[in-house]
Amino acid sequence: MSNNATDGVDRGMDGKSPDVASTATDSYFFLDNTQYVIQSVPFDVTKRIKLGVKVTADNTNFSFSLKQVQDFDTTQPIYIYDALDNSYHSINQNPYNVVLQAGTNNNRFELTFQNNALNVDETITSDFLITQNNDNQTLTVNNPNGLDIKSADL
């Protein structure tokens, strides 16, 4: 993050990926239809930064995580947004692990600083039950009214 940067390509601040075509698995910032290993942007809590992921084998385990935070507020929540199921995954403490099929995903993942799924006006607590049975190793979600559920955190 840099207040001197823009949301576009900044010469001397953003770095293109060297050779994405020759790598089996790669991740990158996706800006102007190009892969970048470095992208500088001014911080804004509402900002969404596109991430690209390329894998060449089906059922590839992929993990998004924070290894180091430098010159950034360590209390600021950081999420990976997954457009496949409109879900947000905090990566401040734990990685977001996902299984990917072979291909290039340039429009599926975004780095965000807000969990927009939390902006729900209505909290449903009746007629909805989650039960954990450790003896049977099962987790049961009872949704008798067939409500559309965007996410559930336990």
Side-chain angles (χ1 to χ4, degrees):
M1 300 288 166
S2 171
N3 289 331
N4 296 323
T6 68
D7 287 333
V9 176
D10 294 304
R11 189 176 163 151
M13 297 177 114
D14 301 325
K16 283 187 180 181
S17 293
D19 187 12
V20 175
S22 68
T23 58
T25 301
D26 198 7
S27 63
Y28 43 84
F29 297 102
F30 193 64
L31 177 64
D32 289 344
N33 292 319
T34 305
Q35 297 88 6
Y36 285 81
V37 292
I38 301 169
Q39 182 184 5
S40 294
V41 293
F43 178 74
D44 179 346
V45 73
T46 64
K47 189 169 298 294
R48 300 175 75 88
I49 301 169
K50 281 186 153 196
L51 300 174
V53 176
K54 180 190 103 172
V55 296
T56 56
D58 282 343
N59 300 316
T60 298
N61 292 315
F62 202 88
S63 181
F64 293 93
S65 64
L66 292 176
K67 297 295 182 195
Q68 182 180 17
V69 177
Q70 183 177 334
D71 299 327
F72 192 73
D73 181 1
T74 57
T75 64
Q76 171 62 52
I78 301 173
Y79 301 92
I80 296 295
Y81 169 72
D82 189 338
L84 182 68
D85 60 2
N86 294 318
S87 60
Y88 291 82
H89 307 272
S90 173
I91 58 171
N92 289 80
Q93 300 298 321
N94 297 305
Y96 169 49
N97 299 303
V98 62
V99 177
L100 298 173
Q101 301 308 309
T104 302
N105 296 282
N106 289 331
N107 296 306
R108 179 173 170 182
F109 302 106
E110 293 178 334
L111 183 72
T112 69
F113 306 102
Q114 290 181 326
N115 181 343
N116 290 341
L118 296 177
N119 295 337
V120 176
D121 296 331
E122 182 180 346
T123 302
I124 301 169
T125 57
S126 61
D127 296 330
F128 187 79
L129 180 66
I130 298 176
T131 307
Q132 179 177 334
N133 185 327
N134 290 336
D135 294 335
N136 293 335
Q137 297 180 341
T138 61
L139 182 70
T140 304
V141 178
N142 187 1
N143 183 8
N145 295 328
L147 301 172
D148 288 335
I149 301 168
K150 186 178 253 184
S151 68
D153 293 322
L154 303 176

